[in-house]
Amino acid sequence: MSLLAGLPFGGVNPLGGGPELRIRELALDLSPLRAGGPLGLVLATRVLALLCIGLTSVGVVVQVYEQTRSSVQVGAVSLVLGAGLLLGFLVGGVLADRRDRRGLILVGSGWAVVTFAALSANAAADRPALWVVYVSGALFGFTEGVAETALTAVVPTFVSEEHIPATGALVTVTTTLGSIAGPMLGGVLIAGPGLATTFGLAAAGTALTTLLLTRLGPLPPTGAAPTDADVPPRGEAAPSDAGQPGVLESLREGLAFIRGSRVVAAVLVVDLCAALFATPTALYPQFAEERFGGGPELVGLLTTAPMIGAAVASLVSGWTGRTRHQWRVLCVTVAVWGLACLGFGLSPLLGFGLFFLALGGLADTFSEIMRRTLLMRHTPDPLQGRVSSLWLAQAMTAPALGGVLAGLGASAVGPSTAVAAGGALCVGALCLVALLYRQLWQETGESTVREGEGAQGVPAGDGGLGSNSEETAAT
């Protein structure tokens, strides 16, 4: 089936199954917040936490470069932080399915206070020590990975089934807001009060988030640990650590669930297609110089363009909570992202290039909302931690690998051709995935884990990639 099927034509919007959306319905859906509960507190603290992390990330890059004048050292610090995050995601996924998630979130937030305070004291010293930055980065990355996994796992438990799509949009919006505002404010503070003050403000802000998060009640995982079934029973107390499998075995259980769930597996495969083949960020410096004849200021402009598209998407994301066909929307938006990369690579003028990057940022934001919604809806609570950790780990490592592939392509055929080819490969791979999972085109957004049914509506033939039984095609 064509990826463009289901787009709104005439007066009907097949994506949502109802009348064409009114302008007011495009506004961000705040109904999950109006319903009450701890979601508002979690989202507010998340914005503040991301703001503080943004201040610190910019500060670390500036400090390391000022001390070493080496981009290699800057890359090494990022690598250390990334390694800590990856390990934290994997370990955190197991812990979040076994222990009180509130405790994991508080530990991560509390350790961030210590880390940022140490960076502030180090930056204020007469001779700042570079090893402090490396050690702090590694430890912060690990604890942040654990806390982020626990937070991602616990968000679906705060809302009802009907509010999951809107909640996915709110999480994406807060992530975008914090990720954009943090680095921007960090640059201003570093140029003004300086590094020590910037790190100090990050520590103070994170201390406030930790204090606010103590208002959350206990958040233990519910349901029994999975065995061979796709979806384990819900509502039972999580078992104790005694007799439970080790970390690697628990991760294998998470992978087994992903392979057995056609929706979750499809979402991760689609995400992988976009990250591997359509990741032009690493080529911005070379692209700016060779294609548009610019310098560092143009690199900043290219970096900002997708963020503008993401901000616009956040403001008009209300429709995402009303569409019933999240899989269709995910496929279409990832296709738009790939086509935007193709257009950017072929753009003869800077204006066209910026337009396509902004369009790509808009499509990528909508696709992230769909990914979050589908993963939250189709993952049982006892597996939320591990599935979230594997998704976050992929989201961190796949773009890095995609950047390497883009760099290799640029060295062989030039940056423009490499970016355009990557966009085309993304669309081609997406078409293949959509064909292999074509039964999901009829997916209507109904949860497979919240209805309390024995097999939760998952047919016995739902074996994952390319399953094309008559049973699955009919669902």
Side-chain angles (χ1 to χ4, degrees):
M1 184 178 292
S2 170
L3 289 177
L4 297 179
L7 283 176
F9 295 101
V12 177
N13 179 9
L15 288 177
E20 194 166 13
L21 296 175
R22 300 182 180 90
I23 295 299
R24 63 180 178 82
E25 293 178 327
L26 294 175
L28 184 64
D29 187 357
L30 301 179
S31 58
L33 299 178
R34 299 191 191 100
L39 181 64
L41 173 64
V42 169
L43 292 180
T45 54
R46 180 177 173 81
V47 172
L48 182 56
L50 289 171
L51 183 67
C52 296
I53 292 173
L55 295 180
T56 306
S57 63
V58 173
V60 166
V61 168
V62 171
Q63 181 178 2
V64 171
Y65 188 76
E66 284 183 351
Q67 286 188 230
T68 65
R69 313 306 296 179
S70 170
S71 295
V72 175
Q73 289 275 18
V74 173
V77 169
S78 299
L79 181 62
V80 167
L81 175 62
L85 277 170
L86 179 60
L87 183 60
F89 287 150
L90 297 179
V91 174
V94 175
L95 294 178
D97 288 338
R98 295 184 179 182
R99 299 182 180 276
D100 179 32
R101 293 163 178 172
R102 171 181 177 269
L104 297 175
I105 295 169
L106 289 175
V107 167
S109 183
W111 180 253
V113 177
V114 176
T115 302
F116 298 163
L119 288 171
S120 179
N122 183 59
D126 294 334
R127 299 182 63 181
L130 195 59
W131 68 265
V132 173
V133 180
Y134 275 91
V135 172
S136 298
L139 294 176
F140 168 73
F142 177 76
T143 54
E144 174 62 19
V146 171
E148 179 65 19
T149 302
L151 183 62
T152 302
V154 83
V155 165
T157 66
F158 293 149
V159 295
S160 62
E161 167 69 19
E162 63 179 316
H163 287 147
I164 282 184
T167 300
L170 287 170
V171 172
T172 302
V173 168
T174 56
T175 302
T176 301
L177 178 61
S179 300
I180 293 175
M184 291 177 60
L185 181 58
V188 174
L189 290 173
I190 293 170
L195 281 168
T197 301
T198 301
F199 290 137
L201 289 174
T206 307
L208 178 59
T209 66
T210 306
L211 181 63
L212 292 173
L213 287 171
T214 58
R215 298 173 58 187
L216 294 173
L219 299 170
T222 59
T227 54
D228 294 330
D230 283 345
V231 180
R234 298 176 61 89
E236 302 175 9
S240 64
D241 286 343
Q244 287 193 350
V247 172
L248 294 180
E249 180 61 29
S250 295
L251 289 174
R252 280 195 289 268
E253 288 178 350
L255 287 170
F257 167 77
I258 292 173
R259 287 196 301 269
S261 170
R262 66 184 184 274
V263 176
V264 175
V267 170
L268 294 184
V269 172
V270 166
D271 196 17
L272 189 62
C273 291
L276 283 181
F277 301 126
T279 307
T281 309
L283 300 184
Y284 285 167
Q286 184 181 1
F287 207 98
E289 180 180 353
E290 297 183 9
R291 184 71 170 179
F292 298 127
E297 71 286 348
L298 185 52
V299 176
L301 194 59
L302 295 176
T303 304
T304 303
M307 295 182 181
I308 294 175
V312 172
S314 299
L315 295 175
V316 296
S317 60
W319 64 272
T320 60
R322 300 179 179 92
T323 180
R324 297 174 62 242
H325 296 284
Q326 287 103 10
W327 172 250
R328 294 189 194 181
V329 177
L330 176 61
C331 289
V332 171
T333 51
V334 172
V336 172
W337 165 249
L339 292 173
C341 289
L342 175 63
F344 172 63
L346 299 178
S347 295
L349 300 175
L350 176 61
F352 286 122
L354 294 175
F355 167 77
F356 282 115
L357 286 178
L359 176 64
L362 182 141
D364 187 53
T365 299
F366 288 146
S367 71
E368 182 179 346
I369 293 173
M370 294 299 105
R371 291 194 297 270
R372 288 184 182 274
T373 299
L374 287 167
L375 290 178
M376 285 193 294
R377 268 189 158 163
H378 295 275
T379 303
D381 189 69
L383 279 161
Q384 281 284 350
R386 279 165 286 179
V387 172
S388 296
S389 72
L390 293 169
W391 175 50
L392 291 170
Q394 175 180 290
M396 186 189 73
T397 57
L401 180 57
V404 172
L405 294 177
L408 293 174
S411 64
V413 297
S416 298
T417 304
V419 171
L425 282 172
C426 173
V427 176
L430 175 66
C431 291
L432 178 61
V433 173
L435 179 64
L436 291 173
Y437 289 100
R438 55 187 176 275
Q439 70 274 14
L440 294 183
W441 204 255
Q442 302 304 318
E443 183 268 335
T444 58
E446 295 177 0
S447 172
T448 60
V449 300
R450 294 195 169 205
E451 300 301 325
E453 301 172 2
Q456 306 300 332
V458 180
D462 183 29
L465 186 64
S467 175
N468 191 31
S469 66
E470 292 182 0
E471 285 185 15
T472 55
T475 59

